[in-house]
Amino acid sequence: MVVCVEITDQVTYRKKLEENEFRLKMAVEIAELGVWSMDIDTGIFELNDRCRKIYGFLPEEPVNLEKIRATIEPKYLAGALEVFDEMIANKTAAYEHYIINQQTGQRLWIKGVGKLLDTDQSKSRISGIVLDLTHQKEVQQRKDDFIGIASHELKTPITSLKSSLQLLNALKEETDNKMLHKLIDMSNRSMDKISSLLDALLSYSQVSEGQMILNKTTFNISEIINNCCGHVIASNEYTLVLQGDKDVGINADEHRVEQVVVNLVNNAIKYAPDSKTIYIIIERYASFIKLSVKDNGPGIPEDQIPHLFERYYRIGQSDKYQSGLGLGLYISSEIIKRHGGEIGVISKLGEGSTFWFTLPID
Ligand code: ADP
């Protein structure tokens, strides 16, 4: 007896599956992706060839969590383990750290993301990808080093230029020469711009090299608004409206907090110039304060919001109309994070933006 079954669908399905598998394999190879998967119960890893090469494991060498842990530079170990817990708790988490390749001893900067697989059979597996970004990290480091050296070298001549200008300012009244007055005023304006760019570069170097030291004191958060936003109040073009809890003291680095507030207020003026009223709202919670800077400007496209606090990030057209390095929000977020606070923005196109940060009270 012969039984015939028509299996066209199964064959087509299998072919499609093979095709997709091939495409995926190609993509993984081209992107040089290390792919890993770990059994949470046993801690045993399965790694593709690229992943083994990145970590320096031999082709057939069994790999477990202990072995992976041993590759991570001690400085990053605690953070890496936290990320691992996060993967289990939040289902997905990303990591970036230095490892030591077990074959060559080379120090490699890797970036990866892991995901807890949620299907019933594979409940206890975490899978992820990893990329070797050592070259990009080195380029970034060279750029940071250059900014560090250049800004440091510029500090002395700019300080002496500034003192000369202050002297010229004092002498200005002794002459009626209109041209001289105009030139001195222009120089003052340019000097203010150079100073704020240099401040941004110096702060960036301190932040990126982890050298930012916080000098904490107790001060009233609303008082710093008058100290640091005097230039806006004096200009008479914009109105600063302070709302909320005006009498709350915090323990933080006053100069650094001022830097953040100035940056947010200056951004409101720069990027929302038609919004003539800027609101500063202070809210007090049990253990922290929240300060928001609100404008009624053009707002920010939703897809740009997650990137705003990254270094050198500027929204497409902003570079055309306004000078800036794309570092202000990055520096602000590092300052706030160093204090143990959080920073963010709520914005909708056409409805303005509210940048906010929180700081622990003690
Ligand atoms: P920059 O030094 O270039 O001003 P920032 O890091 O301070 O850099 O800001 C990053 C980008 O965020 C800016 O280029 C601008 O496009 C956008 N941005 C910041 N504040 C506002 C705001 N209040 N309204 C609209 N866009 C803003």
Side-chain angles (χ1 to χ4, degrees):
M1 190 173 78
V2 176
V3 179
C4 287
V5 183
E6 204 234 296
I7 56 162
T8 319
D9 280 354
Q10 281 100 312
V11 172
T12 319
Y13 180 72
R14 204 189 64 223
K15 277 201 167 155
K16 263 231 142 26
L17 218 62
E18 279 170 6
E19 232 172 70
N20 283 346
E21 221 167 83
F22 176 74
R23 280 207 202 113
L24 187 67
K25 211 169 154 228
M26 287 275 291
V28 165
E29 267 172 34
I30 291 168
E32 301 202 310
L33 281 182
V35 182
W36 58 266
S37 155
M38 190 200 85
D39 185 314
I40 298 181
D41 297 330
T42 60
I44 291 175
F45 273 76
E46 280 171 26
L47 314 172
N48 73 347
D49 291 349
R50 177 69 192 148
C51 198
R52 284 184 178 271
K53 201 156 174 226
I54 292 174
Y55 283 94
F57 295 127
L58 296 171
E60 300 301 328
E61 183 181 347
V63 177
N64 58 17
L65 189 56
E66 276 313 305
K67 280 198 174 174
I68 295 282
R69 208 183 274 201
T71 65
I72 302 171
E73 262 196 8
K75 184 179 161 193
Y76 298 95
L77 192 56
L81 294 177
E82 266 173 36
V83 170
F84 189 73
D85 290 340
E86 211 183 311
M87 278 176 208
I88 297 175
N90 296 344
K91 305 219 162 153
T92 179
Y95 55 94
E96 267 184 76
H97 52 236
Y98 272 114
I99 58 158
I100 303 295
N101 182 290
Q102 300 299 287
Q103 290 298 310
T104 61
Q106 207 190 346
R107 196 168 175 244
L108 301 177
W109 180 258
I110 60 159
K111 178 175 182 165
V113 59
K115 204 170 164 53
L116 181 75
L117 294 181
D118 225 0
T119 54
D120 271 353
Q121 320 91 299
S122 51
K123 217 174 204 161
S124 54
R125 287 199 88 74
I126 298 181
S127 284
I129 52 145
V130 60
L131 275 167
D132 173 7
L133 295 184
T134 312
H135 177 66
Q136 286 89 326
K137 181 78 177 167
E138 279 168 4
V139 171
Q140 177 70 52
Q141 187 60 49
R142 278 202 286 273
K143 201 151 76 176
D144 289 354
D145 289 349
F146 173 75
I147 290 177
I149 294 165
S151 54
H152 197 76
E153 291 297 317
L154 281 169
K155 215 165 115 181
T156 318
I158 285 181
T159 311
S160 76
L161 250 173
K162 228 175 177 173
S163 348
S164 308
L165 253 179
Q166 267 161 9
L167 274 176
L168 271 177
N169 259 332
L171 293 172
K172 188 167 91 166
E173 304 313 326
E174 291 178 14
T175 168
D176 289 335
N177 188 326
K178 290 228 160 52
M179 186 51 125
L180 206 65
H181 277 234
K182 203 174 154 196
L183 286 173
I184 293 174
D185 290 342
M186 272 167 61
S187 309
N188 277 327
R189 280 197 295 276
S190 300
M191 180 49 75
D192 286 345
K193 271 196 177 160
I194 294 178
S195 291
S196 76
L197 284 174
L198 185 66
D199 280 348
L201 290 175
L202 285 167
S203 299
Y204 172 75
S205 305
Q206 286 173 347
V207 161
S208 62
E209 285 164 25
Q211 283 175 356
M212 189 174 56
I213 298 159
L214 298 181
N215 294 314
K216 290 192 179 179
T217 53
T218 301
F219 59 93
N220 192 320
I221 182 83
S222 62
E223 272 169 23
I224 68 165
I225 312 293
N226 287 330
N227 298 343
C228 70
C229 297
H231 61 295
V232 184
I233 300 164
S235 79
N236 274 336
E237 206 188 335
Y238 294 90
T239 313
L240 279 186
V241 178
L242 186 60
Q243 293 179 335
D245 203 330
K246 293 177 192 149
D247 193 25
V248 43
I250 57 164
N251 187 251
D253 186 321
E254 190 170 349
H255 169 66
R256 295 291 180 191
V257 177
E258 275 184 13
Q259 210 178 333
V260 177
V261 176
V262 169
N263 182 43
L264 299 184
V265 170
N266 282 351
N267 273 356
I269 293 171
K270 237 161 83 171
Y271 300 109
D274 297 333
S275 165
K276 298 295 178 196
T277 306
I278 300 163
Y279 297 89
I280 299 185
I281 307 143
I282 301 170
E283 292 162 273
R284 188 201 175 118
Y285 294 89
S287 59
F288 64 91
I289 61 111
K290 182 175 181 184
L291 189 147
S292 309
V293 177
K294 179 174 178 290
D295 65 60
N296 295 313
I300 299 165
E302 204 182 332
D303 60 331
Q304 306 282 335
I305 290 177
H307 305 289
L308 285 181
F309 298 93
E310 290 170 8
R311 60 182 99 188
Y312 305 121
Y313 196 83
R314 308 198 73 213
I315 297 178
Q317 343 158 309
S318 40
D319 23 354
K320 275 195 229 151
Y321 305 113
Q322 294 293 349
S323 67
L325 299 165
L327 289 176
L329 290 178
Y330 167 73
I331 294 168
S332 301
S333 95
E334 290 299 307
I335 292 174
I336 296 300
K337 278 194 249 160
R338 276 292 311 274
H339 278 88
E342 285 178 40
I343 191 164
V345 59
I346 301 165
S347 186
K348 219 171 176 194
L349 272 183
E351 291 181 22
S353 311
T354 303
F355 281 84
W356 59 266
F357 65 81
T358 63
L359 283 174
I361 287 176
D362 297 315

